Amino acid sequence: MSSKPIAYHETGYCEFPAELERVAEVSALLKSFCQRNCLDETLWPQLDLAICECLNNAVEHGCEEDASLIVKVKWSWIDERLIVEVEDPGPYFEPASDASLPDDPTSESGRGYFIIQSIAESYTAEKTDYGHKVTLRFATHAASDILVKTEEMFSMLQNLSNDLNLAYAERDIIAGLAHDLTNCPAIESFIEKSVQRLRGIVEITQANVWTLEPNGNLENAYHECGSQMEIREAFITPDQACACTTVIASEKELCVESCSHLDESDPLYETSGCAIVLPIVYQRDCLGTIALHAEETNKKTLFETALPLTRTFSQFLGLAYTSVKTFRHREEHERSQTQLQVAAEIQQSLLPSSYPSNQYCRSTGRCVAAMAVGGDYVDAIEIRDAGLLIVIADVMGKGVPAALLATIFRTAIRSRLNLAETPGWLLAKINKQIYDELGHLNMFITAQAAFLSYDKKVLKLASAGHCPAILLDSQTQETQLLEAEGMPLGIAPDDLYEENLIQLSDTSKLLFITDGFYEAENPKGDMLGMDRLLQAIPDIWRDGLESVPSKAFGIVSKFANGRSATDDQTMMALEIL
């Protein structure tokens, strides 16, 4: 009985016309054959180079590129070697014993044999009935490598399958988180649904979310425990050494191998189990931490599978907390804007809706606040048929506080109209009345009060530190500053205010202003100044009373050249008839 083993080897065979473009097709067939035999991919480029050189030689030299002739190729895999036979109908020639490069490096021939000899394990040539045959032998790998490669491929496929499963789970959780973020009315509901989604990956025994407060404390914003265990601490102080404060300080996640190794004072301490603690971060701001607990038997799943998904959850939670904060800020801003708008409307309603116009005089005015509401105030009140009370004031500062004080001042003026014909005494009484409010706020008011006597055409003027009024004689075009001595309201409770008497005529035109007019600045920081304003007074009045406000504000605007006003600007124009 024969003891010889069965000899088995795989082979392949093809024939092709002697055309160079066919060489690549034969090479592809050979590569597929080698891949089925688990050839090391790194070996193929060199093998392919030697085989193609041999095929090119058969086409070019054996067949002289005559497409009517046939090149025969046979290959086989025996043990650890690939054997390739190339046969052509050309004449046989003995290969050189030593392969070397041609002397001329630019020569188009002579390099192929050197390449083949350098790569192939052996190279033989023989004469056949068909013509000339070359046999190439290549060392490949041991037979056992096939099993190793199969195991490697199985392991790779298994890892790929696990990665795909995790990717699909992460995709589903991310899609769920995005859905919950836009549909959960409260952030607590969003956290609860997110934890439920993570429970589909790992069995969570306890979940906690801690938010970072402005004072540095961590407040427990969410607690869930299957055993209904009450939360141990509602707050964690910044100086308390525990897992959560460590994560906050480093802004890096923490894997707790065993919760029993934590200090017993740590809110995450348990007699068994493991945990992951992650920071909640949005952009550069750390907003708190997430802590998830699991049994030690689920440690691998918690650390390897649930951890990356919890990172995604923490990112969404950071976005959710920031969105809530932004929404609250927007609400507060809108509420503030609404309040400012209401305050502006109330303040506007306190200004004259129309200015007096009668047989003795005509008047007009305008008030423009630097902010939504301002501290300037102007009023013109007819006192029976005796005359007209003109009041203009400027509260130190801007905004709502100044507007409130301007409102208080208006109320005080209107409650003492019995003193209208003595404007100095009127200012003294009001100063005494509102001194306490002004002193408490460390603020003051400059004001000017004037009474125009209709029958005598006399203006009685008093000033509490206010800027001068401007008188224009329309006949001579001469201007004059009208002022009187007096301290601003709110400086001393017993101040008295002198009264200056000015005789007017039917050519007299008056302009009462606040300092926002002549203190307006241009882009260079230069102020308009009283001198420039005085020079413009004749032009301001040139087109009549109705055009005075627009021309006066136009001069200020032109000088400012786009620079925003930093102070309220108020004026009142009065012409005597």
Side-chain angles (χ1 to χ4, degrees):
M1 189 174 185
S2 174
S3 62
K4 291 183 178 180
I6 296 174
Y8 171 81
H9 56 269
E10 294 186 54
T11 63
Y13 176 79
C14 77
E15 296 179 354
F16 68 94
E19 299 171 333
L20 289 174
E21 56 266 28
R22 301 287 184 152
V23 171
E25 298 177 28
V26 178
S27 171
L29 292 172
L30 258 167
K31 182 177 182 181
S32 178
F33 173 81
C34 292
Q35 286 175 333
R36 289 196 300 273
N37 285 274
C38 297
L39 174 72
D40 187 344
E41 293 286 344
T42 61
L43 297 178
W44 174 250
Q46 293 187 10
L47 271 60
D48 185 42
L49 179 60
I51 293 169
C52 287
E53 283 290 343
C54 193
L55 294 173
N56 288 338
N57 286 339
V59 172
E60 292 179 340
H61 304 298
C63 300
E64 296 182 345
E65 298 188 44
D66 183 352
S68 64
L69 300 178
I70 299 297
V71 178
K72 301 177 181 180
V73 187
K74 180 180 179 182
W75 54 83
S76 58
W77 191 286
I78 302 175
D79 296 329
E80 302 172 16
R81 285 172 176 77
L82 172 66
I83 298 145
V84 180
E85 299 174 359
V86 179
E87 190 173 6
D88 60 65
Y92 168 77
F93 63 90
E94 186 72 27
S97 57
D98 293 325
S100 60
L101 286 171
D103 294 333
D104 182 5
T106 62
S107 174
E108 295 183 1
S109 61
R111 292 192 298 271
Y113 181 56
F114 174 79
I115 292 172
I116 295 170
Q117 285 282 64
S118 300
I119 297 173
E121 184 182 29
S122 68
Y123 173 95
T124 58
E126 60 182 299
K127 181 176 176 56
T128 64
D129 293 339
Y130 186 65
H132 173 253
K133 182 172 74 172
V134 172
T135 302
L136 307 178
R137 288 178 174 79
F138 301 96
T140 55
H141 50 64
S144 60
D145 282 358
I146 298 176
L147 180 60
V148 172
K149 283 184 171 292
T150 303
E151 290 176 349
E152 289 177 353
M153 184 174 294
F154 176 77
S155 178
M156 181 186 69
L157 290 173
Q158 192 173 39
N159 290 335
L160 180 60
S161 176
N162 291 337
D163 290 343
L164 283 173
N165 289 335
L166 181 59
Y168 283 130
E170 186 171 0
R171 183 201 63 183
D172 292 341
I173 286 183
I174 290 173
L177 288 171
H179 177 271
D180 295 342
L181 187 62
T182 55
N183 290 277
C184 290
I187 198 164
E188 292 79 10
S189 300
F190 169 69
I191 297 173
E192 183 177 359
K193 286 183 176 291
S194 300
V195 171
Q196 289 174 358
R197 294 183 186 281
L198 290 172
R199 287 188 185 279
I201 303 296
V202 63
E203 187 176 344
I204 299 170
T205 59
Q206 185 182 165
N208 285 282
V209 173
W210 301 81
T211 55
L212 186 62
E213 299 300 305
N215 60 6
N217 286 342
L218 285 170
E219 180 181 1
N220 190 274
Y222 180 83
H223 172 74
E224 181 186 333
C225 183
S227 61
Q228 302 300 319
M229 181 180 72
E230 292 295 329
I231 184 171
R232 294 174 58 192
E233 293 186 39
F235 292 94
I236 300 175
T237 59
D239 57 351
Q240 186 175 344
C242 63
C244 286
T245 54
T246 300
V247 169
I248 288 291
S250 65
E251 294 188 9
K252 295 180 180 179
E253 60 196 38
L254 179 66
C255 293
V256 182
E257 297 278 345
S258 177
C259 293
S260 63
H261 292 166
L262 296 173
D263 191 276
E264 292 187 14
S265 63
D266 194 313
L268 303 185
Y269 170 80
E270 286 182 315
T271 55
S272 64
C274 55
I276 54 174
V277 188
L278 292 87
I280 303 170
V281 178
Y282 181 77
Q283 294 182 346
R284 296 183 180 181
D285 297 328
C286 187
L287 308 177
T289 64
I290 302 171
L292 300 181
H293 294 248
E295 297 291 346
E296 290 190 14
T297 52
N298 292 321
K299 182 187 299 183
K300 181 178 176 63
T301 306
L302 180 67
F303 289 176
E304 296 182 4
T305 306
L307 180 59
L309 299 178
T310 309
R311 290 192 195 109
T312 305
F313 171 38
S314 70
Q315 292 169 357
F316 272 87
L317 189 53
L319 177 61
Y321 273 121
T322 305
S323 298
V324 169
K325 187 184 296 184
T326 302
F327 179 74
R328 288 173 181 168
H329 285 169
R330 185 167 62 247
E331 276 190 327
E332 292 173 1
H333 176 71
E334 290 175 355
R335 189 182 302 116
S336 176
Q337 288 298 110
T338 301
Q339 291 172 350
L340 282 174
Q341 183 178 354
V342 171
E345 290 174 357
I346 292 173
Q347 185 185 28
Q348 195 63 34
S349 70
L350 298 178
L351 297 173
S353 57
S354 62
Y355 286 84
S357 179
N358 51 48
Q359 60 183 346
Y360 305 106
C361 66
R362 295 171 63 228
S363 60
T364 186
R366 184 183 296 175
C367 178
V368 177
M371 299 174 65
V373 291
D376 280 7
Y377 162 69
V378 66
D379 212 345
I381 308 167
E382 289 194 88
I383 307 300
R384 302 177 301 279
D385 293 328
L388 179 68
L389 175 64
I390 302 129
V391 181
I392 189 166
D394 183 0
V395 180
M396 184 194 73
K398 295 177 287 295
V400 173
L404 290 174
L405 285 175
T407 304
I408 292 173
F409 177 74
R410 176 188 185 275
T411 304
I413 288 286
R414 295 215 164 218
S415 68
R416 292 182 176 273
L417 292 181
N418 59 312
L419 300 177
E421 296 183 44
T422 53
W425 191 240
L426 174 63
L427 290 179
K429 287 293 185 181
I430 290 176
N431 177 53
K432 194 174 188 69
Q433 178 182 337
I434 66 175
Y435 171 78
D436 289 338
E437 286 86 349
L438 291 171
H440 178 70
L441 296 172
N442 195 28
M443 297 177 74
F444 62 84
I445 300 174
T446 68
Q448 199 172 57
F451 179 76
L452 171 65
S453 174
Y454 286 155
D455 57 350
K456 297 178 181 179
K457 292 187 179 180
V458 171
L459 185 73
K460 191 182 293 184
L461 182 139
S463 177
H466 198 75
C467 57
I470 303 173
L471 172 64
L472 170 70
D473 188 319
S474 59
Q475 186 174 8
T476 63
Q477 297 295 298
E478 293 181 354
T479 58
Q480 179 185 349
L481 295 178
L482 305 180
E483 51 192 335
E485 292 293 329
M487 296 293 291
L489 306 177
I491 302 298
D494 299 321
D495 279 340
L496 297 177
Y497 299 89
E498 71 172 18
E499 295 177 349
N500 188 8
L501 298 178
I502 302 102
Q503 184 63 56
L504 304 176
S505 67
D506 55 7
T507 61
S508 297
K509 301 181 186 301
L510 292 153
L511 191 66
F512 299 89
I513 60 173
T514 58
D515 59 8
F517 256 92
Y518 58 84
E519 289 181 356
E521 296 181 353
N522 63 17
K524 295 181 180 179
D526 300 328
M527 285 199 304
L528 174 64
M530 184 62 80
D531 290 342
R532 286 194 183 96
L533 183 59
L534 283 174
Q535 292 174 8
I537 289 297
D539 183 61
I540 288 174
W541 281 96
R542 181 165 291 116
D543 295 328
L545 177 73
E546 291 75 10
S547 300
V548 170
S550 59
K551 295 197 75 172
F553 277 94
I555 288 171
V556 174
S557 177
K558 182 179 180 180
F559 178 81
N561 193 23
R563 180 164 180 170
S564 300
T566 58
D567 197 3
D568 306 329
Q569 298 170 352
T570 304
M571 55 78 60
M572 176 182 165
L574 174 71
E575 68 175 350
I576 306 301
L577 301 177

